[in-house]
Amino acid sequence: MPFDETTTGAPATHDQAAAPAATGERADLLETLAKHRHFLRFTTRDLTDEQAGLRPTASELCIGGLIKHVTAVERSWAEFIVDGPSAMGDFTAMTEADWARREAEFRMLPGDTLAGVLADYAETARRTDELIAALPDLGAAHPLPKAPWFEADARWSARRVLMHVIAETAQHAGHADIIRESLDGAKSMG
C-alpha cells in the first residue's frame, strides 16, 4: 500500500489542520503528539496488509498491531478525559476473554487491512485533537481506574493523560521503526 499523506495525515500540519485552533500549551502538546503519530504512520509506507502483520523480530509485535493498539489506547484515554474511570473499566476484574481481546489489539486479524487500521487511527487522532483544543481546563482531573499498574487513589489531569498518550505513541513508533527495519531495511529517520 503506498504511503499517502492525504489519507493518513502524515505531516504534523495535517493532524493540526482538522482540530480547532489550539494555542499555547495545547498547541505545543498537540504538535508533539502529531510528530510522533507521523513517525508511527510513516513506518507503514509502501507496506502490504500482509507485511503490516508480520513479526520479523523476537517480539510478538507487528506494525499494524502497534497502530491498532495505539489507536485503542488513545481512544480510551480521550474517553477517560471526558467520562473519568468508568470509560476504562476495572482492569482488576478483567476476564480471560477481556485479556484475549486486549491482546488482539497487537495483531492484524483476518479482515484487518492496513488502510482500515490507518483510517481508524486518523479518525481517533482527529477526535482527540478536537477534544484537547476545546477542553475548558487541561488541569481537570479524574481518579485513575483500578489497575495493578496504577498507584491506588491517583488522579490524572487531562494534561497528564495527554503526556502519557504522547509517551506511549513515541515508544510504539520506536518499536514500529525497529520492526520496519527488520522487514526490509527501511528506516523512519537516517
Side-chain angles (χ1 to χ4, degrees), residues 91-178:
F91 292 100
T92 63
M94 287 179 65
T95 66
E96 285 187 37
D98 295 329
W99 286 111
R101 278 190 295 279
R102 187 171 173 90
E103 287 176 19
E105 287 177 6
F106 288 96
R107 294 190 305 274
M108 291 289 282
L109 301 175
D112 284 343
T113 65
L114 183 55
V117 168
L118 288 168
D120 191 30
Y121 189 37
E123 177 61 18
T124 297
R126 183 192 63 76
R127 288 181 183 170
T128 300
D129 290 354
E130 288 177 355
L131 171 66
I132 296 303
L135 202 63
D137 180 10
L138 289 179
H142 294 291
L144 290 175
K146 290 182 182 178
W149 49 84
F150 290 136
E151 180 182 334
D153 301 320
R155 297 177 62 83
W156 277 14
S157 67
R159 178 181 297 103
R160 174 92 183 260
V161 166
L162 189 55
M163 290 188 302
H164 176 76
V165 170
I166 291 167
E168 177 113 358
T169 304
Q171 179 179 13
H172 289 314
H175 291 146
D177 194 38
I178 290 168

Side-chain angles (χ1 to χ4, degrees), residues 63-73 75 104-109 112 117 120:
I63 291 174
L66 283 169
I67 294 171
K68 284 175 59 176
H69 171 68
V70 170
T71 301
V73 166
R75 185 181 301 124
E105 287 177 6
F106 288 96
R107 294 190 305 274
M108 291 289 282
L109 301 175
D112 284 343
V117 168
D120 191 30

Side-chain angles (χ1 to χ4, degrees), residues 31-77:
E31 182 180 330
T32 301
L33 180 55
K35 177 180 73 171
H36 294 297
R37 286 175 181 149
H38 163 72
F39 284 127
L40 178 57
R41 285 188 298 258
F42 192 63
T43 63
T44 70
R45 69 197 178 284
D46 301 322
L47 290 182
T48 65
D49 292 339
E50 180 185 3
Q51 288 171 312
L54 293 176
R55 301 180 324 216
T57 67
S59 170
E60 291 290 320
L61 301 174
C62 67
I63 291 174
L66 283 169
I67 294 171
K68 284 175 59 176
H69 171 68
V70 170
T71 301
V73 166
E74 184 171 322
R75 185 181 301 124
S76 67
W77 279 114

